[in-house]
Amino acid sequence: MGTKLIIDTDPGVDDAFAIALAAVSADVDLLGVTTVFGNVPLAMTTANARRLLQLCDRPDVPVAAGAARPLVHRNERNSTVHGVDGLSGRAGSLPEATRPLEPQDAVGLMVSLLEASDEPVTIAPIGPLTNVAALLAAHPGVRDKIARIVLMGGGMAHGNITAAAEFNIWADPEAARRVLSEDDVPCVMVPLDLTHRCAVDSAWLAKLASSGPIGKALDALTPDYLAHYRRVLGYDGIVMHDAVAVAEAINPGLLRTETYPVNVDTSAGPSRGQTLVDRRPALQDPGAQPGRLIEVATDTDLDGLREFVLTRLIEAR
Ligand code: BDR
Ligand code: CA
């Protein structure tokens, strides 16, 4: 029945687009959604994820709550770009979830789903990597059940929450280092450099808004996010970071990738949370870099990607 997928998320306006993309795609077997602190505190990200699945008429998808804070260093700062409740203050406009929250926590649900799956599962982390690092650390036996991890995070040229760091990595650098540099599960990193190039404009959002109830509800979640990205982009538009990663997760090869070693700065200095993508040419020589290599998404057919996401959301079941 298509790609088996678990999304780990902190909704988040762009998370909302990403969850909806997977939830309405008939060729995706969305096994579960797990939540993590991030854009807003855990109780809000969890409530938002549940309401978003209800919006998409997917009460069959279990939701489990995970980490409320980073693995090592506590960090009270949330993102400010998604509004007070993570959805531009409009979370209450989404339908209430009919399915109860799972009694298991996020790691417990991921383990159950992975163990029960008859084929490898893709995990798409689109928030801080705390839950995924805990999964890999505490349950090494489930690695074989993970087809690949396709994550939104990191930046090559610059950050967004600081000059050096992208938000998801900065929010829990130790967890990110575990997943990106210290493990061996196949991993695709979708960095800021590419997600920004996939930004969508007001015409794209207008087409989405006029497509039906799901598109209209998603567009209604964007005002605060749009206000932020208007300043960043210089035009009316948004960067749908997380939907770019989920598009690759459900349609492998949609993004072009290059293979590099990636490290994460876990120091306490100004570069904390920076992803160091080692693009030195000599490292491309066969045998020059025996260490862990990550597929970094560097390019795509930008209009094709925008059209892929829009068409899926418009053709919601
Ligand atoms: C990432 O940070 C969050 O604000 C977004 O939801 C996305 O996952 C972009 O840096
Ligand atoms: Ca996110």
Side-chain angles (χ1 to χ4, degrees), residues 164-245:
E166 181 280 329
F167 178 77
N168 290 340
I169 306 299
W170 169 89
D172 193 345
E174 282 75 18
R177 184 160 180 172
R178 173 63 198 243
V179 175
L180 284 166
S181 316
E182 304 287 346
D183 215 290
D184 54 12
V185 176
C187 197
V188 180
M189 176 177 124
V190 182
L192 285 178
D193 313 66
L194 181 59
T195 60
H196 271 258
R197 292 173 56 215
C198 300
V200 293
D201 62 13
S202 52
W204 189 98
L205 287 167
K207 278 188 206 157
L208 177 68
S210 62
S211 65
I214 294 178
K216 187 174 177 202
L218 289 173
D219 178 64
L221 304 176
T222 59
D224 290 356
Y225 197 64
L226 195 59
H228 171 78
Y229 277 106
R230 191 176 289 129
R231 291 192 297 275
V232 173
L233 297 170
Y235 61 86
D236 262 358
I238 62 168
V239 182
M240 50 173 187
H241 304 280
D242 295 341
V244 179

Coordinates of all heavy atoms in Angstrom, one line a residue, residues 164-245:
A164 N 24.4 30.6 12.7 CA 25.1 29.3 12.4 C 24.1 28.2 12.3 O 24.3 27.2 11.6 CB 26.2 29.0 13.4
A165 N 23.0 28.2 13.1 CA 22.2 27.0 13.3 C 20.8 27.1 12.8 O 20.1 28.2 13.0 CB 22.2 26.7 14.8
E166 N 20.3 26.0 12.3 CA 18.9 25.9 11.9 C 18.1 25.4 13.1 O 18.7 24.7 14.0 CB 18.8 24.8 10.7 CG 17.5 24.6 10.2 CD 16.6 23.6 11.0 OE1 17.3 22.7 11.7 OE2 15.4 23.8 11.1
F167 N 16.9 25.8 13.2 CA 16.1 25.6 14.4 C 16.0 24.1 14.9 O 16.3 23.9 16.1 CB 14.6 26.1 14.2 CG 13.8 25.9 15.4 CD1 13.9 26.7 16.6 CD2 12.9 24.8 15.5 CE1 13.2 26.5 17.7 CE2 12.1 24.6 16.6 CZ 12.3 25.4 17.7
N168 N 15.7 23.2 14.1 CA 15.5 21.8 14.5 C 16.8 21.2 15.1 O 16.8 20.4 16.1 CB 15.0 20.9 13.4 CG 13.6 21.2 13.0 OD1 12.9 21.8 13.7 ND2 13.2 20.7 11.8
I169 N 17.9 21.6 14.6 CA 19.2 21.1 15.0 C 19.6 21.8 16.3 O 20.0 21.2 17.3 CB 20.3 21.2 14.0 CG1 19.9 20.6 12.7 CG2 21.6 20.6 14.5 CD1 19.5 19.1 12.7
W170 N 19.4 23.1 16.3 CA 19.8 24.0 17.4 C 18.9 23.6 18.7 O 19.4 23.7 19.8 CB 19.5 25.4 17.0 CG 19.5 26.4 18.2 CD1 20.6 27.1 18.6 CD2 18.4 26.8 19.0 NE1 20.3 27.9 19.7 CE2 18.9 27.8 19.9 CE3 17.1 26.5 19.0 CZ2 18.1 28.4 20.8 CZ3 16.3 27.1 19.9 CH2 16.8 28.0 20.8
A171 N 17.7 23.1 18.5 CA 16.8 22.8 19.6 C 17.3 21.6 20.4 O 17.0 21.5 21.6 CB 15.4 22.6 19.1
D172 N 18.0 20.7 19.8 CA 18.6 19.6 20.5 C 19.9 19.1 19.7 O 19.8 18.1 19.0 CB 17.6 18.5 20.7 CG 18.2 17.5 21.7 OD1 19.4 17.5 22.0 OD2 17.4 16.7 22.3
P173 N 21.0 19.8 19.8 CA 22.2 19.5 19.1 C 22.7 18.1 19.4 O 23.2 17.4 18.5 CB 23.2 20.5 19.4 CG 22.4 21.7 19.9 CD 21.2 21.1 20.6
E174 N 22.6 17.7 20.7 CA 23.2 16.4 21.0 C 22.4 15.3 20.3 O 23.0 14.3 19.9 CB 23.2 16.2 22.6 CG 24.3 16.9 23.3 CD 24.1 18.4 23.5 OE1 22.9 18.9 23.3 OE2 25.0 19.1 23.7
A175 N 21.1 15.4 20.3 CA 20.2 14.4 19.6 C 20.5 14.4 18.1 O 20.6 13.3 17.5 CB 18.7 14.7 19.8
A176 N 20.7 15.6 17.6 CA 21.0 15.7 16.1 C 22.3 15.0 15.8 O 22.5 14.3 14.8 CB 21.0 17.1 15.7
R177 N 23.3 15.2 16.7 CA 24.6 14.6 16.5 C 24.5 13.1 16.5 O 25.1 12.4 15.7 CB 25.6 15.1 17.5 CG 27.0 14.6 17.3 CD 27.9 15.4 18.0 NE 29.3 15.0 17.8 CZ 30.3 15.7 18.2 NH1 30.1 16.8 18.8 NH2 31.6 15.2 18.0
R178 N 23.7 12.6 17.4 CA 23.5 11.1 17.5 C 22.9 10.6 16.2 O 23.4 9.6 15.7 CB 22.6 10.8 18.7 CG 22.2 9.3 18.8 CD 23.4 8.5 19.0 NE 23.1 7.1 18.7 CZ 23.1 6.1 19.6 NH1 23.4 6.4 20.9 NH2 22.9 4.9 19.2
V179 N 21.9 11.3 15.7 CA 21.2 10.8 14.5 C 22.1 11.0 13.2 O 22.2 10.1 12.4 CB 19.9 11.5 14.3 CG1 19.2 11.0 13.0 CG2 19.0 11.1 15.5
L180 N 22.7 12.1 13.1 CA 23.4 12.5 11.8 C 24.8 12.0 11.8 O 25.3 11.6 10.7 CB 23.4 14.0 11.7 CG 22.1 14.7 11.2 CD1 22.2 16.2 11.4 CD2 21.8 14.4 9.8
S181 N 25.5 11.9 12.9 CA 26.9 11.6 12.9 C 27.3 10.4 13.6 O 28.4 9.8 13.3 CB 27.7 12.8 13.5 OG 27.2 14.0 13.1
E182 N 26.5 9.9 14.5 CA 26.9 8.8 15.4 C 26.1 7.5 15.2 O 26.2 6.6 16.0 CB 26.8 9.2 16.9 CG 27.6 10.5 17.2 CD 29.1 10.3 17.2 OE1 29.5 9.1 17.3 OE2 29.8 11.3 17.2
D183 N 25.3 7.4 14.1 CA 24.6 6.2 13.9 C 24.8 5.8 12.5 O 25.6 6.4 11.7 CB 23.1 6.5 14.2 CG 22.4 5.3 14.8 OD1 22.3 4.3 14.0 OD2 22.1 5.3 16.0
D184 N 24.2 4.7 12.1 CA 24.4 4.2 10.7 C 23.1 3.9 10.0 O 23.2 3.3 8.9 CB 25.4 3.0 10.7 CG 24.8 1.9 11.6 OD1 23.7 2.0 12.0 OD2 25.6 0.9 11.9
V185 N 22.0 4.4 10.5 CA 20.8 4.2 9.7 C 20.8 5.2 8.5 O 21.2 6.4 8.7 CB 19.5 4.5 10.6 CG1 18.3 4.5 9.8 CG2 19.5 3.6 11.7
P186 N 20.5 4.7 7.3 CA 20.6 5.6 6.1 C 19.7 6.9 6.4 O 18.6 6.9 6.9 CB 19.9 4.8 5.0 CG 20.1 3.4 5.5 CD 20.0 3.4 7.0
C187 N 20.3 8.0 6.0 CA 19.8 9.3 6.4 C 19.8 10.3 5.3 O 20.9 10.5 4.7 CB 20.6 9.8 7.6 SG 19.7 11.1 8.6
V188 N 18.7 11.0 5.0 CA 18.7 12.1 4.1 C 18.4 13.4 4.9 O 17.4 13.4 5.6 CB 17.6 11.9 3.0 CG1 17.5 13.1 2.1 CG2 17.7 10.6 2.3
M189 N 19.3 14.3 4.8 CA 19.1 15.6 5.4 C 18.6 16.7 4.4 O 19.2 16.9 3.4 CB 20.4 16.1 6.1 CG 20.4 17.4 6.7 SD 22.0 17.8 7.5 CE 22.4 19.3 6.7
V190 N 17.5 17.3 4.7 CA 16.9 18.3 3.8 C 17.2 19.7 4.5 O 16.5 20.0 5.5 CB 15.4 18.1 3.6 CG1 14.9 19.1 2.6 CG2 15.2 16.6 3.0
P191 N 18.2 20.4 4.1 CA 18.6 21.6 4.8 C 17.9 22.9 4.3 O 17.2 22.9 3.3 CB 20.1 21.7 4.4 CG 20.2 21.1 3.1 CD 19.1 20.1 3.0
L192 N 18.0 23.9 5.1 CA 17.5 25.2 4.8 C 17.8 25.7 3.4 O 16.9 26.3 2.7 CB 18.1 26.3 5.7 CG 17.7 26.4 7.1 CD1 18.5 27.5 7.8 CD2 16.2 26.7 7.2
D193 N 19.0 25.4 2.9 CA 19.5 25.9 1.6 C 18.5 25.5 0.5 O 18.2 26.3 -0.4 CB 20.9 25.4 1.3 CG 21.8 25.5 2.5 OD1 21.5 24.8 3.5 OD2 22.8 26.3 2.4
L194 N 18.0 24.3 0.6 CA 17.1 23.8 -0.4 C 15.6 24.2 -0.1 O 14.9 24.7 -1.0 CB 17.2 22.3 -0.6 CG 16.2 21.8 -1.7 CD1 16.5 22.4 -3.0 CD2 16.3 20.3 -1.8
T195 N 15.2 24.1 1.2 CA 13.8 24.4 1.5 C 13.5 25.9 1.1 O 12.4 26.1 0.7 CB 13.5 24.1 3.0 OG1 14.3 24.9 3.8 CG2 13.6 22.7 3.3
H196 N 14.4 26.8 1.3 CA 14.2 28.2 1.0 C 13.9 28.4 -0.5 O 13.1 29.2 -0.9 CB 15.3 29.1 1.5 CG 15.1 29.6 2.9 ND1 14.6 30.9 3.1 CD2 15.2 29.0 4.0 CE1 14.5 31.0 4.4 NE2 14.8 29.9 5.0
R197 N 14.6 27.6 -1.3 CA 14.5 27.7 -2.8 C 13.1 27.2 -3.2 O 12.7 27.4 -4.3 CB 15.6 27.0 -3.5 CG 17.0 27.7 -3.3 CD 18.1 26.9 -3.9 NE 17.9 26.6 -5.2 CZ 18.3 25.5 -5.8 NH1 19.0 24.5 -5.1 NH2 18.1 25.2 -7.1
C198 N 12.5 26.4 -2.3 CA 11.2 25.8 -2.7 C 10.0 26.6 -2.1 O 8.9 26.2 -2.1 CB 11.0 24.4 -2.1 SG 12.2 23.2 -2.7
A199 N 10.3 27.9 -1.7 CA 9.2 28.7 -1.1 C 8.1 28.8 -2.1 O 8.3 28.8 -3.3 CB 9.8 30.1 -0.8
V200 N 6.9 29.0 -1.5 CA 5.7 29.2 -2.3 C 5.1 30.6 -2.1 O 5.2 31.1 -1.0 CB 4.6 28.1 -2.0 CG1 5.1 26.7 -2.5 CG2 4.2 28.1 -0.6
D201 N 4.5 31.1 -3.2 CA 4.0 32.5 -3.1 C 2.5 32.6 -2.8 O 1.8 31.5 -2.7 CB 4.4 33.3 -4.3 CG 3.8 32.7 -5.6 OD1 2.9 31.8 -5.5 OD2 4.2 33.0 -6.7
S202 N 2.0 33.8 -2.8 CA 0.5 33.9 -2.5 C -0.4 33.3 -3.5 O -1.5 32.9 -3.2 CB 0.2 35.4 -2.3 OG 0.6 36.1 -3.4
A203 N 0.1 33.2 -4.8 CA -0.8 32.6 -5.8 C -0.9 31.1 -5.5 O -2.0 30.5 -5.7 CB -0.1 32.8 -7.2
W204 N 0.2 30.5 -5.1 CA 0.2 29.1 -4.7 C -0.8 28.9 -3.6 O -1.6 27.9 -3.6 CB 1.6 28.6 -4.4 CG 1.8 27.2 -4.2 CD1 2.3 26.3 -5.1 CD2 1.6 26.4 -3.0 NE1 2.4 25.0 -4.5 CE2 2.0 25.1 -3.2 CE3 1.2 26.7 -1.7 CZ2 2.0 24.1 -2.2 CZ3 1.1 25.7 -0.7 CH2 1.5 24.4 -1.0
L205 N -0.7 29.7 -2.6 CA -1.5 29.6 -1.4 C -3.0 29.9 -1.7 O -3.9 29.2 -1.2 CB -1.1 30.6 -0.3 CG 0.2 30.2 0.4 CD1 0.7 31.4 1.2 CD2 0.0 29.0 1.3
A206 N -3.2 30.8 -2.7 CA -4.6 31.0 -3.1 C -5.2 29.8 -3.8 O -6.4 29.5 -3.5 CB -4.7 32.3 -4.0
K207 N -4.4 29.1 -4.6 CA -4.9 27.9 -5.3 C -5.3 26.9 -4.2 O -6.3 26.2 -4.3 CB -3.9 27.3 -6.2 CG -3.8 28.0 -7.6 CD -2.9 27.2 -8.5 CE -2.3 28.2 -9.5 NZ -1.1 27.8 -10.1
L208 N -4.4 26.8 -3.2 CA -4.7 25.8 -2.1 C -5.9 26.2 -1.4 O -6.8 25.3 -1.2 CB -3.5 25.8 -1.2 CG -3.6 24.9 0.1 CD1 -3.6 23.4 -0.4 CD2 -2.5 25.2 1.1
A209 N -6.1 27.4 -1.1 CA -7.2 27.9 -0.2 C -8.6 27.6 -1.0 O -9.6 27.4 -0.3 CB -7.1 29.4 0.1
S210 N -8.5 27.7 -2.3 CA -9.8 27.6 -3.0 C -10.1 26.1 -3.4 O -11.0 25.9 -4.1 CB -9.8 28.5 -4.3 OG -8.8 28.1 -5.1
S211 N -9.2 25.2 -3.0 CA -9.3 23.8 -3.5 C -10.4 23.0 -2.7 O -10.9 22.0 -3.2 CB -8.0 23.1 -3.4 OG -7.6 23.0 -2.0
G212 N -10.7 23.4 -1.5 CA -11.6 22.6 -0.7 C -11.4 22.8 0.8 O -10.6 23.6 1.1
P213 N -12.1 22.0 1.6 CA -12.0 22.3 3.0 C -10.6 22.1 3.7 O -10.2 22.9 4.5 CB -13.0 21.3 3.7 CG -13.6 20.5 2.6 CD -13.1 21.0 1.2
I214 N -9.9 21.1 3.2 CA -8.6 20.9 3.8 C -7.6 22.1 3.4 O -6.9 22.6 4.2 CB -8.0 19.5 3.4 CG1 -8.9 18.4 4.0 CG2 -6.5 19.4 3.8 CD1 -8.4 17.0 3.6
G215 N -7.6 22.4 2.1 CA -6.8 23.5 1.6 C -7.1 24.8 2.3 O -6.3 25.6 2.7
K216 N -8.4 25.0 2.4 CA -8.9 26.3 3.1 C -8.4 26.3 4.5 O -7.9 27.4 5.0 CB -10.4 26.3 3.0 CG -11.0 27.6 3.4 CD -12.5 27.6 3.2 CE -13.1 28.9 3.7 NZ -14.5 28.9 4.1
A217 N -8.6 25.2 5.2 CA -8.1 25.2 6.6 C -6.6 25.3 6.8 O -6.2 26.0 7.7 CB -8.6 23.9 7.3
L218 N -5.9 24.7 5.9 CA -4.4 24.9 5.9 C -4.0 26.3 5.7 O -3.2 26.9 6.4 CB -3.7 24.0 4.9 CG -3.7 22.5 5.2 CD1 -3.2 21.7 4.1 CD2 -3.0 22.1 6.5
D219 N -4.6 26.9 4.7 CA -4.2 28.3 4.4 C -4.6 29.2 5.5 O -3.9 30.2 5.8 CB -5.0 28.8 3.1 CG -4.7 30.2 2.8 OD1 -3.6 30.5 2.5 OD2 -5.7 31.0 2.8
A220 N -5.7 28.9 6.2 CA -6.1 29.8 7.4 C -5.1 29.7 8.5 O -5.2 30.5 9.5 CB -7.5 29.3 7.8
L221 N -4.2 28.7 8.5 CA -3.2 28.6 9.6 C -1.9 29.5 9.4 O -1.0 29.5 10.2 CB -2.8 27.1 9.8 CG -3.9 26.1 10.0 CD1 -3.3 24.7 10.0 CD2 -4.6 26.4 11.3
T222 N -1.9 30.2 8.2 CA -0.6 30.8 7.8 C -0.4 32.2 8.2 O 0.8 32.7 8.1 CB -0.4 30.7 6.3 OG1 -1.5 31.3 5.6 CG2 -0.4 29.2 5.8
P223 N -1.3 33.0 8.7 CA -1.1 34.5 8.8 C 0.2 34.9 9.6 O 1.0 35.7 9.1 CB -2.3 35.0 9.6 CG -3.4 34.0 9.2 CD -2.7 32.7 9.1
D224 N 0.5 34.3 10.8 CA 1.7 34.7 11.5 C 2.9 34.3 10.8 O 4.0 35.0 10.7 CB 1.7 34.2 12.9 CG 0.6 34.8 13.8 OD1 0.0 35.8 13.3 OD2 0.5 34.4 14.9
Y225 N 2.9 33.1 10.2 CA 4.0 32.5 9.5 C 4.3 33.3 8.2 O 5.5 33.6 7.9 CB 3.6 31.0 9.2 CG 4.8 30.1 8.8 CD1 5.8 29.8 9.7 CD2 4.8 29.5 7.5 CE1 6.8 28.9 9.3 CE2 5.8 28.6 7.2 CZ 6.8 28.3 8.1 OH 7.8 27.5 7.7
L226 N 3.2 33.7 7.6 CA 3.3 34.5 6.4 C 4.0 35.8 6.7 O 4.8 36.3 5.9 CB 1.9 34.7 5.8 CG 1.7 35.2 4.4 CD1 2.4 34.3 3.3 CD2 0.2 35.3 4.1
A227 N 3.6 36.4 7.8 CA 4.1 37.7 8.2 C 5.6 37.6 8.4 O 6.4 38.5 8.0 CB 3.4 38.2 9.5
H228 N 6.1 36.5 9.1 CA 7.5 36.3 9.3 C 8.2 36.1 7.9 O 9.2 36.8 7.7 CB 7.7 35.0 10.1 CG 9.2 34.6 10.2 ND1 10.1 35.3 11.0 CD2 9.9 33.7 9.5 CE1 11.3 34.7 10.9 NE2 11.2 33.8 10.0
Y229 N 7.7 35.3 7.1 CA 8.4 35.0 5.8 C 8.3 36.1 4.8 O 9.1 36.2 3.9 CB 8.0 33.6 5.2 CG 8.8 32.6 5.9 CD1 8.2 31.7 6.9 CD2 10.2 32.4 5.7 CE1 9.0 30.8 7.5 CE2 10.9 31.5 6.3 CZ 10.4 30.7 7.3 OH 11.2 29.8 7.9
R230 N 7.3 37.0 5.0 CA 7.3 38.2 4.1 C 8.5 39.0 4.3 O 9.1 39.5 3.4 CB 6.0 39.0 4.5 CG 5.7 40.1 3.5 CD 4.4 40.8 3.9 NE 3.2 40.0 3.7 CZ 2.3 39.8 4.6 NH1 2.3 40.3 5.8 NH2 1.2 39.0 4.3
R231 N 8.9 39.1 5.6 CA 10.2 39.8 5.9 C 11.4 39.1 5.4 O 12.4 39.7 4.9 CB 10.3 40.1 7.4 CG 9.2 41.0 8.0 CD 9.6 41.4 9.4 NE 9.6 40.3 10.4 CZ 8.5 39.9 11.0 NH1 7.3 40.4 10.8 NH2 8.6 38.8 11.8
V232 N 11.4 37.8 5.5 CA 12.6 37.0 5.1 C 12.7 37.0 3.6 O 13.8 37.2 3.1 CB 12.5 35.6 5.7 CG1 13.6 34.7 5.1 CG2 12.5 35.6 7.2
L233 N 11.6 36.7 2.9 CA 11.7 36.5 1.5 C 11.6 37.8 0.7 O 12.0 37.8 -0.5 CB 10.5 35.6 1.0 CG 10.5 34.2 1.6 CD1 9.1 33.5 1.3 CD2 11.6 33.3 1.1
G234 N 10.9 38.8 1.3 CA 10.7 40.0 0.5 C 9.5 40.0 -0.4 O 9.3 40.9 -1.2
Y235 N 8.7 39.0 -0.3 CA 7.4 38.9 -1.0 C 6.4 38.1 -0.2 O 6.8 37.5 0.8 CB 7.6 38.4 -2.4 CG 8.1 36.9 -2.5 CD1 7.2 35.9 -2.4 CD2 9.5 36.7 -2.6 CE1 7.7 34.5 -2.5 CE2 10.0 35.4 -2.7 CZ 9.1 34.3 -2.6 OH 9.5 33.0 -2.6
D236 N 5.2 38.1 -0.6 CA 4.1 37.3 0.1 C 4.3 35.9 -0.2 O 4.0 35.4 -1.3 CB 2.8 37.8 -0.4 CG 2.1 38.8 0.6 OD1 2.7 39.1 1.6 OD2 1.0 39.2 0.3
G237 N 4.9 35.1 0.8 CA 5.1 33.7 0.6 C 5.5 33.0 1.9 O 5.7 33.7 2.9
I238 N 5.6 31.7 1.8 CA 6.1 31.0 3.0 C 7.1 29.9 2.5 O 7.1 29.5 1.4 CB 4.9 30.3 3.7 CG1 4.2 29.2 2.9 CG2 4.0 31.3 4.3 CD1 3.3 28.3 3.6
V239 N 7.9 29.5 3.5 CA 8.9 28.4 3.2 C 8.3 27.2 3.9 O 8.1 27.1 5.1 CB 10.3 28.7 3.8 CG1 11.2 27.5 3.5 CG2 10.8 30.0 3.2
M240 N 7.9 26.2 3.1 CA 7.2 25.0 3.7 C 8.3 23.9 3.9 O 8.2 22.8 3.4 CB 6.1 24.5 2.7 CG 6.5 24.4 1.3 SD 5.2 23.6 0.3 CE 6.0 23.4 -1.2
H241 N 9.3 24.3 4.7 CA 10.4 23.4 5.0 C 10.0 21.9 5.1 O 10.6 21.1 4.4 CB 11.1 23.8 6.3 CG 11.5 25.2 6.5 ND1 12.7 25.7 6.0 CD2 10.9 26.2 7.2 CE1 12.8 27.0 6.3 NE2 11.8 27.3 7.0
D242 N 9.1 21.6 6.1 CA 8.9 20.2 6.4 C 8.2 19.5 5.3 O 8.4 18.3 5.2 CB 8.1 20.2 7.7 CG 8.8 20.8 8.9 OD1 10.1 20.8 8.8 OD2 8.2 21.1 9.9
A243 N 7.4 20.2 4.6 CA 6.7 19.5 3.5 C 7.7 19.1 2.4 O 7.4 18.1 1.7 CB 5.6 20.4 2.9
V244 N 8.8 19.8 2.2 CA 9.8 19.4 1.3 C 10.4 18.1 1.7 O 10.6 17.2 0.8 CB 10.9 20.5 1.1 CG1 11.9 20.1 0.1 CG2 10.3 21.8 0.7
A245 N 10.7 17.9 3.0 CA 11.3 16.7 3.4 C 10.3 15.5 3.3 O 10.6 14.4 2.9 CB 11.7 16.8 4.9

